[in-house]
Amino acid sequence: MQLKLFPFFNKPDCSITLYELFEAYFNCRSNKRRTNNALAFEVDYENNLIKLLKEINSGLYNPGKSIAFIVIKPVKREIFAANFRDRIVHHLIINKLNPLFEKEFIHDSFACRVGKGIHYGIRRVDHFIRTCSQNYTKDCFILKLDIKAFFMSINRGLLFEKLNKFIVEKYHKPDQFLIIDLCRKVIYHDPANHYIIKGDKLDWDNLPRDKSLFYTPDNCGLPIGNLTSQVFANFYMNSFDHLIKHNLKIRYYGRYVDDFVMIHSHKEYLKSIIPIIREYLYSNLGLVLHPNKIYLQHYSKGLSYLGAVIKPNRIYIGNRTKGNFYQAIQIHNKTADHHKPDKSEIKLFQSSTNSYLGIMKHYKTFNIRKKMLYNILSERLKKLFRTNIKFEKIIIKK
């Protein structure tokens, strides 16, 4: 259903300003500047932004095609990357709403929030375990749960209903109706009906149907890869977070997207709330608790969480991360064995390697990082790069 264009949309005091759109553009460019999409936009970015602004303020803006592709690390996933101009709109929406979201979110939902990424989440859960166990002197238990096909199961109608109500109640600026209109268009836009495939259709082989937007039920699913999907998913789960913290009285609780952990001194209490959680998720959010991903153990058994293993007095990097890093180096080694890497291949290797090193430096992995770069890396690639003394990143030799 198209939103009726209110006459006051075009009034200056009810419009998005060029300054706000430029701010969103610079936020977006800082992350995606080197994509072909972004470079094409930047050739004439001032006129492109003015054109986009006119579309937004007149109510004529509609999302364009997305790029669909498959990634296999850390797990096989389907990505729909929005057009660069659409990503600017995503940043505009989140710039407007995030301050209000932050007032509503609990402290310990970790994904896509400033200063609350993966490493913060890991440290926070480690702190919960130490505190609940009184520094490992008392019993405490860990319950870790997961939602099945989370992003593909989000009900767009329910999400927009919640968001529309939230904006009406909390966002009182003159451009309120414009923001609601943009949110509606972003949420209801189905990229599976308007896309370009990057790679090969065969890449989708062996991807479970419940992991793809191509097979979701009507009016369900958000594309993985968009800023709005990440933040709106947090908003969608906010009522659940408050249920856990305030209704079920779980003091030590943290959630990263659909992966959530509860720590309590009584195992039976944790066991007793699983049916309550299952029922709430299904009845109120249309989500299904994953039946094969229920972990309930004494803290001494350790916890695998967000790519790390948390044990008393120590945190390890997960084996999957180490294995993926090893495989990534081997792939680039094979490329270098066949020919001298060109500039794009060198940049790709540097980006991939520094990403893994950036993750691993947060843990006691000096010897692992050194081994990867000294013993696993091919001689040809070693000649192209140098590393700092702590093996925290590689730098292209001039």
Side-chain angles (χ1 to χ4, degrees):
M1 183 180 74
Q2 287 293 321
L3 188 70
K4 194 179 291 184
L5 297 182
F6 295 93
F8 53 78
F9 266 26
N10 292 314
K11 291 183 179 181
D13 60 342
C14 297
S15 300
I16 304 297
T17 67
L18 187 58
Y19 174 83
E20 290 169 328
L21 197 62
F22 261 97
E23 183 180 28
Y25 161 70
F26 285 120
N27 291 156
C28 186
R29 190 180 71 167
S30 67
N31 295 321
K32 300 288 183 181
R33 189 172 186 179
R34 294 193 176 276
T35 64
N36 291 335
N37 222 241
L39 292 172
F41 189 95
E42 285 200 347
V43 170
D44 191 15
Y45 74 93
E46 290 181 337
N47 284 328
N48 285 333
L49 283 172
I50 291 170
K51 181 181 177 182
L52 179 58
L53 184 69
K54 288 178 179 178
E55 289 181 21
I56 292 170
N57 284 333
S58 65
L60 297 177
Y61 164 79
N62 282 299
K65 290 184 178 180
S66 296
I67 306 295
F69 57 96
I70 295 292
V71 297
I72 59 174
K73 303 294 183 183
V75 294
K76 192 168 187 177
R77 291 184 302 165
E78 172 189 83
I79 304 293
F80 278 90
N83 188 286
F84 185 74
R85 76 196 301 270
D86 294 330
R87 293 200 296 269
I88 295 172
V89 174
H90 297 170
H91 278 272
L92 174 70
I93 293 169
I94 300 309
N95 285 351
K96 291 277 188 175
L97 298 181
N98 234 3
L100 299 175
F101 286 153
E102 285 296 322
K103 291 178 182 178
E104 298 294 317
F105 291 167
I106 66 167
H107 182 80
D108 291 307
S109 60
F110 309 127
C112 213
R113 298 175 69 186
V114 176
K116 294 186 178 181
I118 287 174
H119 304 300
Y120 176 85
I122 293 167
R123 292 194 303 270
R124 189 71 173 156
V125 170
D126 177 57
H127 168 73
F128 288 161
I129 295 168
R130 283 188 285 107
T131 304
C132 187
S133 67
Q134 295 183 33
N135 206 25
Y136 315 120
T137 63
K138 303 288 184 181
D139 282 337
C140 83
F141 299 86
I142 301 167
L143 174 63
K144 185 174 80 161
L145 302 172
D146 197 305
I147 296 169
K148 189 175 182 180
F150 174 57
F151 278 101
M152 302 305 129
S153 301
I154 290 174
N155 185 295
R156 296 173 191 158
L158 180 57
L159 170 60
F160 181 67
E161 180 185 331
K162 286 173 170 284
L163 192 56
N164 183 43
K165 181 181 178 183
F166 177 82
I167 294 172
V168 169
E169 291 178 354
K170 304 290 184 179
Y171 185 87
H172 302 303
K173 294 183 180 180
D175 59 3
Q176 182 192 77
F177 285 103
L178 270 178
I179 298 302
I180 291 173
D181 185 42
L182 289 176
C183 288
R184 180 185 61 81
K185 288 174 176 176
V186 168
I187 289 169
Y188 282 108
H189 173 68
D190 186 354
N193 292 328
H194 202 42
Y195 64 93
I196 300 168
I197 283 185
K198 178 183 176 182
D200 195 301
K201 288 185 178 180
L202 295 177
D203 294 340
W204 271 257
D205 286 358
N206 302 317
L207 181 73
R209 287 194 168 206
D210 64 3
K211 300 288 186 182
S212 173
L213 281 178
F214 292 114
Y215 302 105
T216 56
D218 290 342
N219 208 32
C220 284
L222 296 182
I224 297 174
N226 289 348
L227 174 65
T228 44
S229 296
Q230 297 284 343
V231 179
F232 287 169
N234 249 356
F235 173 78
Y236 195 73
M237 292 293 289
N238 186 52
S239 63
F240 173 76
D241 293 336
H242 285 278
L243 170 83
I244 300 295
K245 292 286 288 186
H246 303 127
N247 295 60
L248 300 182
K249 307 296 182 183
I250 300 292
R251 181 179 180 185
Y252 304 114
Y253 164 76
R255 178 180 59 81
Y256 188 91
V257 190
D258 61 335
D259 197 350
F260 44 101
V261 174
M262 287 152 275
I263 295 120
H264 198 274
S265 55
H266 298 290
K267 184 177 182 178
E268 289 305 312
Y269 181 71
L270 290 175
K271 190 183 293 186
S272 73
I273 66 174
I274 294 174
I276 299 172
I277 290 170
R278 182 185 290 113
E279 173 61 23
Y280 182 90
L281 288 171
Y282 185 76
S283 299
N284 293 275
L285 299 174
L287 301 174
V288 175
L289 194 65
H290 203 302
N292 301 325
K293 294 185 178 180
I294 298 174
Y295 177 88
L296 178 55
Q297 291 287 353
H298 192 270
Y299 77 87
S300 60
K301 301 291 185 181
L303 171 68
S304 178
Y305 188 58
L306 305 181
V309 178
I310 303 171
K311 289 196 172 184
N313 293 309
R314 57 204 188 277
I315 302 175
Y316 298 112
I317 190 74
N319 286 331
R320 186 168 71 182
T321 303
K322 290 186 286 187
N324 288 343
F325 188 21
Y326 175 83
Q327 290 175 21
I329 289 178
Q330 292 289 27
I331 289 170
H332 289 287
N333 281 346
K334 288 181 180 179
T335 299
D337 286 343
H338 288 117
H339 62 272
K340 183 178 179 180
D342 59 28
K343 287 184 179 180
S344 63
E345 290 169 330
I346 291 171
K347 281 284 187 182
L348 180 62
F349 174 72
Q350 181 189 36
S351 175
S352 172
T353 301
N354 282 342
S355 177
Y356 281 107
L357 293 174
I359 294 170
M360 296 176 75
K361 72 180 183 181
H362 291 273
Y363 311 98
K364 293 180 180 180
T365 58
F366 176 84
N367 289 332
I368 297 172
R369 302 196 306 269
K370 182 178 179 181
K371 179 182 177 181
M372 291 287 191
L373 297 180
Y374 262 96
N375 299 345
I376 309 301
L377 193 61
S378 73
E379 292 301 320
R380 173 171 274 180
L381 287 175
K382 285 180 188 177
K383 292 176 181 178
L384 299 175
F385 297 93
R386 60 184 176 86
T387 183
N388 64 353
I389 194 169
K390 294 182 179 180
F391 298 95
E392 293 176 338
K393 66 179 179 178
I394 60 170
I395 302 156
I396 301 171
K397 290 180 180 177
K398 294 183 179 179

